Amino acid sequence: MLLDIDGKAVCARVRRSEQSKESTPVVLVAGGAGGGVDGTWAPLENRLAELGPVVTYDRAGSGHSDGPQHARVSELAEELHQVLNKLGVRQPVVVAGWSSGAFVAEGYALRYPEHVAGLVLIEPTPTEPPPRTFAVRLQLFIAQPLMRLAALASWSGLFSGRFGARAAGKLVGAESSAVESAEILQLLRNPREIIAEVRVQQLIPRYAAELTHALEAQPLPDVPAIVISVGKRGRMPAAYASSLDTSHKTLAGRFRRGRRVVLEHATHQVPLEEPEVVVDAVRSVLNATVAPVQGLHEQSKPGAPWRFQKPEHIQVPHERAAE
């Protein structure tokens, strides 16, 4: 359905099963440009609906929702808050955020801690800046121009045939899965989503800086949280892969009841490749535990959550932490 959020049409969907309609709702926040309806979460929705009502939505500027994208994490969190209110979803909720969707999940938990029962953060985009090695800087430098060229090629229909499948395979590399190649191919055949993805990539440093300051101002709520990482990084420079692992460990350590688990043989496309792992993680959080997820290697939590002094130039609404 389309919701009127501050004059913009935002596409959202709720799936419920009869046996779980009174359970804690689960909100799925997509990665990439933010297209969640009919996107990455599709294989998961029916399974998760057995645990509780499931909400998916297209963030502004992606999927079926009006643009442009929001330029601040606080706006992304407020958009989610209004979506849940318009849908009449009972709160608190468990929020599962994948990739850049983790920014929304964390921002929502900071802005509305009493509305969050737990978090599942799947391959979360880090708030820390990437390492300044030559290989990392080169990859980041060429990524956005290549995506713009891909958008032009997509408009011309270049990726509609066999060439598109070969191009997707080349982009993800030989070690990547068929699922990851299919996801890239789907993106290459949708020029609007490519442009939206480019815009989000441009905004990520701003999102990361804002969230870093927000985390300095107040801790994340005391709720069960699971951070899911992967072991296969494809063509990612080693220094960047190492920094992601460190970031994920640090993020898990910000929660008193946080844990990090590692899927050694999975790629970034966890919701598509390992949907049962996500279901198990959500179930653990819904049960208010962070017991090891079956079949995963669990990393012990690092030290106690960090605490910082609040920067004067950042305004973060003070809210009561969740009980």
Side-chain angles (χ1 to χ4, degrees):
M1 68 179 69
L2 293 177
L3 307 174
D4 182 0
I5 306 293
D6 294 332
K8 294 181 180 179
V10 173
C11 184
R13 178 170 62 208
V14 183
R15 290 192 177 182
R16 297 180 175 91
S17 66
E18 188 61 32
Q19 65 269 27
S20 66
K21 62 182 180 181
E22 300 302 323
S23 301
T24 300
V26 178
V27 180
L28 303 177
V29 186
V37 177
D38 301 326
T40 304
W41 298 114
L44 280 166
E45 290 181 65
N46 289 334
R47 289 285 289 108
L48 288 171
E50 298 172 7
L51 306 178
V54 176
V55 178
T56 53
Y57 71 108
D58 295 334
R59 297 202 298 271
S62 69
H64 305 287
S65 294
D66 292 343
Q69 286 97 338
H70 293 298
R72 296 180 60 84
V73 174
S74 59
E75 295 171 354
L76 293 168
E78 186 60 30
E79 177 186 55
L80 174 55
H81 181 62
Q82 293 192 48
V83 166
L84 296 178
N85 285 341
K86 292 272 187 176
L87 291 173
V89 174
R90 180 170 52 85
Q91 300 188 56
V93 297
V94 169
V95 186
W98 173 53
S99 192
S100 63
F103 285 150
V104 185
E106 294 170 61
Y108 190 71
L110 287 167
R111 194 173 181 90
Y112 297 102
E114 72 277 15
H115 293 168
V116 175
L119 294 170
V120 177
L121 304 174
I122 306 157
E123 273 285 280
T125 302
T127 57
E128 300 85 357
R132 300 293 294 172
T133 66
F134 175 76
V136 173
R137 284 185 291 175
L138 179 62
Q139 187 178 68
L140 294 175
F141 178 76
I142 65 175
Q144 291 184 17
L146 284 178
M147 290 184 71
R148 290 190 182 93
L149 287 175
L152 291 174
S154 182
W155 282 113
S156 70
L158 185 63
F159 298 120
S160 59
R162 292 183 179 179
F163 176 80
R166 291 197 297 269
K170 292 290 185 181
L171 283 172
V172 298
E175 294 184 357
S176 299
S177 67
V179 170
E180 189 170 20
S181 295
E183 182 72 3
I184 292 296
L185 180 58
Q186 183 177 353
L187 176 64
L188 290 176
R189 289 175 174 173
N190 190 332
R192 181 177 183 268
E193 285 299 297
I194 296 175
I195 295 300
E197 176 78 25
V198 170
R199 176 58 176 158
V200 169
Q201 292 301 317
Q202 292 171 334
L203 288 169
I204 278 178
R206 179 183 296 184
Y207 291 162
E210 181 188 353
L211 192 54
T212 296
H213 289 308
L215 290 167
E216 291 173 355
Q218 67 185 78
L220 287 158
D222 182 11
V223 295
I226 293 178
V227 178
I228 299 176
S229 303
V230 303
K232 294 178 69 174
R233 300 280 182 201
R235 294 176 175 174
M236 182 180 292
Y240 202 180
S242 178
S243 72
L244 280 177
D245 288 339
T246 300
S247 173
H248 292 174
K249 291 177 184 176
T250 300
L251 179 56
R254 292 182 181 272
F255 298 90
R256 187 177 66 85
R257 291 182 283 166
R259 290 291 185 272
R260 174 179 178 248
V261 293
V262 179
L263 285 72
E264 297 290 355
H265 302 292
T267 72
H268 187 66
Q269 307 294 329
V270 175
L272 294 170
E273 293 178 353
E274 301 285 353
E276 288 303 317
V277 169
V278 179
V279 172
D280 286 345
V282 170
R283 182 184 293 110
S284 291
V285 170
L286 283 169
N287 291 336
T289 67
V290 283
V293 181
Q294 185 176 8
L296 299 183
H297 169 62
E298 182 172 4
Q299 302 274 330
S300 60
K301 188 182 80 171
W306 292 1
R307 297 291 185 270
F308 298 95
Q309 297 297 316
K310 180 178 178 180
E312 295 299 325
H313 60 287
I314 298 294
Q315 299 295 321
V316 179
H318 178 71
E319 306 256 8
R320 178 177 60 84
E323 298 294 330

